[in-house]
């Protein structure tokens, strides 16, 4: 369709011509809410977009024309500390299920972002999640990349996490994760180290 969204330090931008031109889509975003680290689109409901920002999770149901904060149950957006919502992931077969990765852990909503629960069982210390990816072939399986504790995996929708970092350098930041759809179980990790 040629529609592309971009999250920037200055908010969300949208192109409807494949990136040839862009328009700011920031109605309802302000302050740290303009610092957009992650975007996720609902493939079954075009126009529904989630944004992970510097302090809060926002949702648009009109293609980014307006945004509403969706923070019930998130200990985020309070006080002056930055929260860094680094990743937003939707479960493809059940897009009412949304996961958010933040500096203080992983959160899950099963009602399209209306309410959230913390999913930090198994992480060591404060997890500070930089990246999060869901296995489309096994939607209860997710991988989380952390600031200095490597990669963690859950096979039960986030109820419990196990470290999966054998072979990774100690203390590296896992900035990106990708799954190889043609080879189940193959995970790629992008780090801040050689």
């Amino acid at each position: 369709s040629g529609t592309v969204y971009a999250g920037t330090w200055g908010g969300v931008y949208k192109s409807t011509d494949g990136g040839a031109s862009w328009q700011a889509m920031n109605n309802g975003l302000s302050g740290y809410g303009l610092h957009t680290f992650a975007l996720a689109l609902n493939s079954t409901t075009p126009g529904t977009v989630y944004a992970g920002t510097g302090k809060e999770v926002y949702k648009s149901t009109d293609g980014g024309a307006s945004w509403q904060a969706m923070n019930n149950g998130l200990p985020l957006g309070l006080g002056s500390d930055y929260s860094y919502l680094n990743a937003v992931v939707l479960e493809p077969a059940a897009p009412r299920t949304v996961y958010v990765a933040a500096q203080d852990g992983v959160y899950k909503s099963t009602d399209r972002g209306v309410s959230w629960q913390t999913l930090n069982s198994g992480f060591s210390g404060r997890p500070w999640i930089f990246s999060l990816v869901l296995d489309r072939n096994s939607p209860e399986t997710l991988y989380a990349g952390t600031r200095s504790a490597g990669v963690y995996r859950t096979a039960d929708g986030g109820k419990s996490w196990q470290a999966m970092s054998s072979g990774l350098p100690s203390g590296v930041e896992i900035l990106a994760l990708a799954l190889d759809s043609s080879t189940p179980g193959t995970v790629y990790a992008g780090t801040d180290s050689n």
Side-chain angles (χ1 to χ4, degrees):
S1 71
T3 300
V4 182
Y5 293 87
T8 74
W9 198 250
V12 176
Y13 287 79
K14 180 179 180 179
S15 171
T16 56
D17 54 15
S21 61
W22 296 87
Q23 179 180 359
M25 306 297 284
N26 296 327
N27 183 24
L29 302 176
S30 62
Y32 288 126
L34 287 170
H35 301 174
T36 308
F37 295 100
L39 294 169
L41 283 76
N42 183 332
S43 60
T44 62
T45 310
T48 299
V49 185
Y50 293 85
T53 72
K55 285 198 142 218
E56 300 175 292
V57 175
Y58 287 89
K59 178 181 177 182
S60 173
T61 56
D62 54 15
S66 63
W67 297 90
Q68 178 183 359
M70 307 295 286
N71 299 314
N72 186 26
L74 291 175
L76 308 167
L78 305 172
S80 60
D81 290 338
Y82 224 53
S83 296
Y84 292 103
L85 291 147
N86 295 314
V88 180
V89 176
L90 302 181
E91 187 175 313
R96 66 183 299 114
T97 301
V98 185
Y99 295 90
V100 173
Q103 68 182 30
D104 50 358
V106 177
Y107 299 88
K108 179 180 183 179
S109 172
T110 56
D111 54 14
R112 296 180 175 90
V114 173
S115 61
W116 299 89
Q117 58 182 322
T118 307
L119 301 175
N120 289 339
S121 178
F123 288 115
S124 61
R126 185 179 189 185
W128 200 311
I129 310 298
F130 276 134
S131 50
L132 187 68
V133 64
L134 180 141
D135 186 339
R136 293 178 173 270
N137 297 317
S138 176
E140 291 285 298
T141 302
L142 292 96
Y143 296 85
T146 69
R147 181 178 187 183
S148 61
V151 175
Y152 282 78
R153 176 182 181 266
T154 179
D156 56 15
K159 292 176 188 166
S160 61
W161 295 87
Q162 298 81 37
M164 306 289 286
S165 301
S166 178
L168 288 172
S170 176
V172 298
E173 296 178 353
I174 308 298
L175 302 174
L177 289 169
L179 301 180
D180 185 340
S181 60
S182 65
T183 310
T186 300
V187 183
Y188 295 91
T191 74
D192 67 340
S193 179
N194 294 332

